[in-house]
Amino acid sequence: MTALRTSTAPNTSGVPRKRRPRGVRTSVIAWIFLAPFAIVFLTYTAIPALAAIGFSLTDLQGRDLRNPFNVDFIAIDNYVRLFADARFIRDIGNTLLFVVVGVPLTMALGFALALALNSGIRRLRGVFRTIFFAPVVTNIVAIALIWQYAFNNDGTVNNVLANLGFAGPNWLDDTNTAMPIVILLGIWRNFGTAMLLFLAGLQAVPEDVQEAAALDGAGWWSRLWHITLPLLLPTILLISVLLTVFYLQVFDEPYLLTDGGPLGSTESVALYTYKQFGFGNYGISSAASVVTLVLVAVVSVVQFRLLRPRT
Amino acid sequence: MSALTPSRPVRLTAAFALVATTALVLSGCGRVDSAGSTTSTTVDETPATGTVSLWAPDGDAKALDDTLASFIADNPDLDLEVTRIPESEYNTKLQAALASGSGPDIAQTYTEAQAGFIKGDAFAAVPDGLVDEDSFFPGSWAAGEIDGTAYTVPWYAYTYTLVYRKDIAESAGLSAPATWEEMIPFEEGLMAAGATKGLGASVGWDSYNGQDLAQLVWQAGGELISDDESEWTLDTPEMIDAIEYNASFFTSGVADTAGPGFLDSQPYFVTGKTASSITGPWVIGQFDTVAEQDGWTAENVGTATVPAGSAGSIGAIAGGSLGVLADSKNQDAAWKVVRFLSQRTTQIAQYESYGSLPAVQSAWEDPTIADQPLLDAFFDQLQETRSYPQRTTWLQIATQMGAEMESVAKGQKSAEEAAATLQSFADGVGTGE
Amino acid sequence: MTATIERLPDVASETHIAAGPRPRRVPVVLLYVALALFAVATLLPFFWVISGSLRSLDEIRADPGAWLPTAPTLDNFARLFSKENFAGYLFNSVAVAIMVVLGNILAAAAAGYALGKLHFAGKKLAFAAVMASLMVPFTAVFVPQFVVTVNLGLIDTLAGIALPSLALPISIFIMRQYASSIPDELLEAARMDGAGEFRLFFTIFLPLSGPAVATVTIMSFLNSWNNFIWPLIVAQSSSTYTLPVGLAATSQASANVTDYGLVLAGAIVVMLPVLVLFLFLQRYFVQGIAASGLK
């Protein structure tokens, strides 16, 4: 490795010293570096996104796959059908419920744990971190199976409740309890991510301001509310957007736990999309995904507006 | 869950079976040259020669090596290769092969789900005189026909019957219900005699329930689709009757909407948590293992044809059929293999090897089958079966039927409302191809 | 995603918030207890998986609700590899993971280097593209992605499964973040010596990026290993199934009796590599999340 030269080194190329390398040659090189990403992006993100919009305006069926261009253009028919379908509307409602309940709870839990791990717990921090993050990295198929096992009418949870003298409901088959269980699974799976992100954010909150406030007589809660949280606003925004985008596309939990039941009370928009795909109704499936895309965009923008740090 | 094949098709890939099914074969059909596919060649008695490849899903085909042994001995110039494919992806693999022109000479199809394949000109018509169509169960043969031309030859046959705890029934002095009206009292009697629930019903609330409902509609005398197959006929009095009858299992308490629990239907049946089920013949061979007792089934199980609606006791045909691909370069030899497998003696040998119920009716007279009282009901039921509508949108309709059934069974909707919803849904989806 | 933390002056070098003037002993003990309880609650499902995988089907049938195996057996694991095709699923998952990880390291490093260190025309566009690929939901694109895969002839292939994940935006963020943090002078000096950008990339940037590459490895490995929906869609035959898909197939495979022990054993096979990896490399992982999230 060459020795570090100072900026007073002789300038041999004749180019003004402070100008950064820019220009056609650098741009070409930069784009060569970007090429692998660009190819993947075009092939698997940009073109599919545009194609999805395109497909959604046709009645593309599975059998047309080899000739995707020989289909009928039906404009917004699919969207009309979607929004006239009570089932789709219900699924939007289910998905929004999942988000509105799931995101705050996940964040609250993650935040509480991050606070706990960050303040005064010296030993075992790594151990706890691993334990709480484990649900995030494990395989959802197996976990869903365990949850089915546990929440079955004759399963573990009801057995325990019975021993305590209570009769538990048929968790996964009762429309009142099925969705809460699905949400619970989502929270269990993801609170670890929220916790880690909050931990990272908390590490940037300086201690001296806290101490100054404490010396001034501010209590714990007051310090949390008036100092810590405002400083954490960017982190909160980030986690909120991430979780919302993720939860809006919830698929694994309803698919594996209840397959959208009972009576479709846990069916999400993503699950609906997948089922239409399975029937070969690619036009409708694409339209449903475009609706998801719009939902994601709208919700993200709204959150940015609401939670943007006002500095 | 009640499935029409011995192992439940993997739900995951069932949907994608349909994706590729409709996608690839119907697009592949444009490419397959109808090279002599509709001309009926006559197949003679000379030995088969050349190479023939046969694809079949894992299952009954496991016994093929044994069953075909004598044929191979009699046809020494024939090179016959049997490939068994995991059952859950058989449909998709076959479709992919058809679309790319790399399929086998002979392919097995599922009798109840072959419409998508044979409609695409991928299969050659069965040569005149190859087999005696009357030797088969009528439903089996008809399932392989499109517009009067047969494209597959039935190989083995299944259907559902009522399977129940004979011991519990006898202790209560009950005999199997013969009609719809007798069904609930029978179930209630079983429960009074000690069963936790009378009926172990399928409760996935998906296309399997839709198939069950279809059978009930037929039993009530109704039709699912118009004669010209241009529209679905689902909002009918017979459909309403069928829905109400099915829902009554749950509303009367003889069946649980959450079904047999997570340990599934057979253990529940063996332990008396349920005492009856409408299911297929494979359970007959499996109960002993679950009960961990040889002879348990003979002592405790009874079978009967399904209770008859006003139009009779009608079931749905299922099983396996064999067809020769239009692309095959050795159709002569291929048809000879198919013919051999449909002969009475071969059918009996197949039963003895694997337990496949013959599609040839006269094979049932053989003592190995005739001496099994539990199989009598299946034979009787096979006389009265129909095939599901052979339309590409049938799966969607059946799935919706299952969903509507759930609503009614759980008291959320009336049967009339469900039928009306079904009809408007079906009108929106159409009859496809 | 452009969240920034404003650093106030005099940032303390310690990394925890003072708890305040009240006595510390009681709250800390309570905290440990609460955390421990919570940890137990979090781990319960895992305990079930392990316990169940060691029980034979007979045992499960006899007493489904029991907590501990009465006659622990490794039979389920043996059957995974003899009766089910878990060896094949494992191979597929590993193969796909290798493709994805290598692709991410190369593609993300290159893209991250360009975005973090070079100035060029269209940089904003490139950046927007990376952001867009993060925000576009999978459900919006998987149908056309499926169509593309069919038309490329990659259906039912491992490459078809791996390709869409070859250049994950999160990997690019991490590499870009790391690239930004490398002092410009290092590279300037080499440039003035006449080194071309490619040489800079390979001889200076990559060797320095050890930690970032480690993070990208873990993140992309995780993404690939646990991916369920896309492999489910692309694979048409069980010889192409990856572990999550194979596990789901196994759990639905048997006709009338779900073989819970078998499925749970399969679950352990799927989960173990990830957990082990995480246990040993969690420091990098946490750093990676922190670095990508707080730029």
Side-chain angles (χ1 to χ4, degrees), chain B residues 170-337:
Chain B
E170 279 170 2
S171 75
L174 299 166
S175 54
T179 65
W180 280 17
E181 290 73 23
E182 292 172 26
M183 180 68 168
I184 304 269
F186 173 73
E187 300 293 347
E188 286 171 342
L190 288 173
M191 288 169 70
T196 317
K197 284 286 178 192
L199 181 68
S202 60
V203 290
W205 306 117
D206 52 16
S207 59
Y208 292 108
N209 291 90
Q211 288 173 349
D212 292 345
L213 191 57
Q215 294 169 42
L216 294 177
V217 171
W218 296 328
Q219 289 165 19
E223 291 296 330
L224 297 164
I225 197 169
S226 62
D227 283 341
D228 60 357
E229 294 196 339
S230 63
E231 55 174 11
W232 298 99
T233 54
L234 300 175
D235 192 2
T236 58
E238 295 85 9
M239 172 65 81
I240 294 173
D241 285 344
I243 295 177
E244 281 177 347
Y245 172 59
N246 198 358
S248 67
F249 298 156
F250 304 97
T251 53
S252 66
V254 306
D256 188 353
T257 55
F262 66 99
L263 285 182
D264 295 313
S265 48
Q266 286 185 25
Y268 267 44
F269 184 84
V270 163
T271 54
K273 288 190 185 151
T274 60
S276 66
S277 180
I278 298 184
T279 182
W282 55 87
V283 299
I284 307 293
Q286 290 172 1
F287 281 139
D288 277 356
T289 320
V290 177
E292 290 171 349
Q293 187 190 334
D294 276 340
W296 183 89
T297 312
E299 272 183 41
N300 298 299
V301 178
T303 57
T305 53
V306 295
S310 54
S313 165
I314 304 176
I317 190 62
S321 300
L322 294 163
V324 171
L325 270 59
D327 268 355
S328 163
K329 306 280 185 301
N330 195 355
Q331 296 191 23
D332 184 75
W335 283 122
K336 287 174 176 166
V337 175

Side-chain angles (χ1 to χ4, degrees), chain A residues 115-139:
Chain A
L115 272 184
L117 284 185
N118 201 46
S119 57
I121 302 282
R122 290 289 158 73
R123 318 175 210 194
L124 301 182
R125 198 182 288 178
V127 172
F128 278 124
R129 219 162 46 189
T130 310
I131 292 179
F132 293 135
F133 198 70
V136 180
V137 303
T138 55
N139 181 268

Side-chain angles (χ1 to χ4, degrees), chain A residues 169-209:
Chain A
N170 195 342
W171 300 97
L172 294 174
D173 199 50
D174 184 334
T175 49
N176 293 320
T177 54
M179 191 52 153
I181 299 294
V182 170
I183 296 178
L184 191 64
L185 180 58
I187 296 174
W188 181 84
R189 269 187 91 197
N190 293 294
F191 76 85
T193 311
M195 177 194 73
L196 275 189
L197 287 170
F198 271 122
L199 268 177
L202 281 174
Q203 286 182 0
V205 172
E207 207 186 81
D208 52 352
V209 178

Side-chain angles (χ1 to χ4, degrees), chain C residues 71-198:
Chain C
T73 165
L74 288 177
D75 183 53
N76 291 323
F77 290 95
R79 276 191 300 141
L80 275 183
F81 292 95
S82 59
K83 193 180 137 211
E84 302 290 328
N85 190 17
F86 259 71
Y89 304 151
L90 188 60
F91 176 79
N92 290 339
S93 274
V94 170
V96 171
I98 290 179
M99 280 192 265
V100 169
V101 168
L102 283 180
N104 267 273
I105 293 177
L106 291 173
Y113 177 71
L115 287 172
K117 272 280 159 269
L118 298 180
H119 302 272
F120 55 94
K123 187 171 177 177
K124 285 214 174 93
L125 184 67
F127 208 76
V130 177
M131 292 291 291
S133 57
L134 195 64
M135 299 289 278
V136 169
F138 177 70
T139 41
V141 293
F142 81 90
V143 175
Q145 279 180 349
F146 180 74
V147 174
V148 164
T149 309
V150 168
N151 282 301
L152 285 177
L154 290 176
I155 269 296
D156 204 32
T157 62
L158 295 179
I161 295 178
L163 274 177
S165 310
L166 273 191
L168 295 170
I170 194 88
S171 309
I172 300 180
F173 276 141
I174 292 173
M175 295 307 296
R176 179 194 165 277
Q177 182 69 9
Y178 202 79
S180 302
S181 70
I182 292 183
D184 280 341
E185 289 80 18
L186 234 56
L187 302 165
E188 281 295 336
R191 273 195 204 105
M192 292 194 183
D193 276 351
E197 288 300 332
F198 291 113

Side-chain angles (χ1 to χ4, degrees), chain A residues 7 39 53 61 67 96 128 133 138 141 147 151 178 196 242 257 278 284 299:
Chain A
S7 55
I39 295 175
I53 299 177
Q61 292 288 311
N67 300 303
L96 288 177
F128 278 124
F133 198 70
T138 55
V141 175
W147 279 59
F151 284 100
L196 275 189
L242 273 180
L257 260 191
I284 296 248
V299 168

Side-chain angles (χ1 to χ4, degrees), chain A residues 1-23:
Chain A
M1 187 116 98
T2 56
L4 194 61
R5 297 194 192 176
T6 65
S7 55
T8 52
N11 184 337
T12 52
S13 65
V15 174
R17 172 172 308 122
K18 290 289 187 201
R19 182 186 307 168
R20 297 152 174 174
R22 196 195 162 101

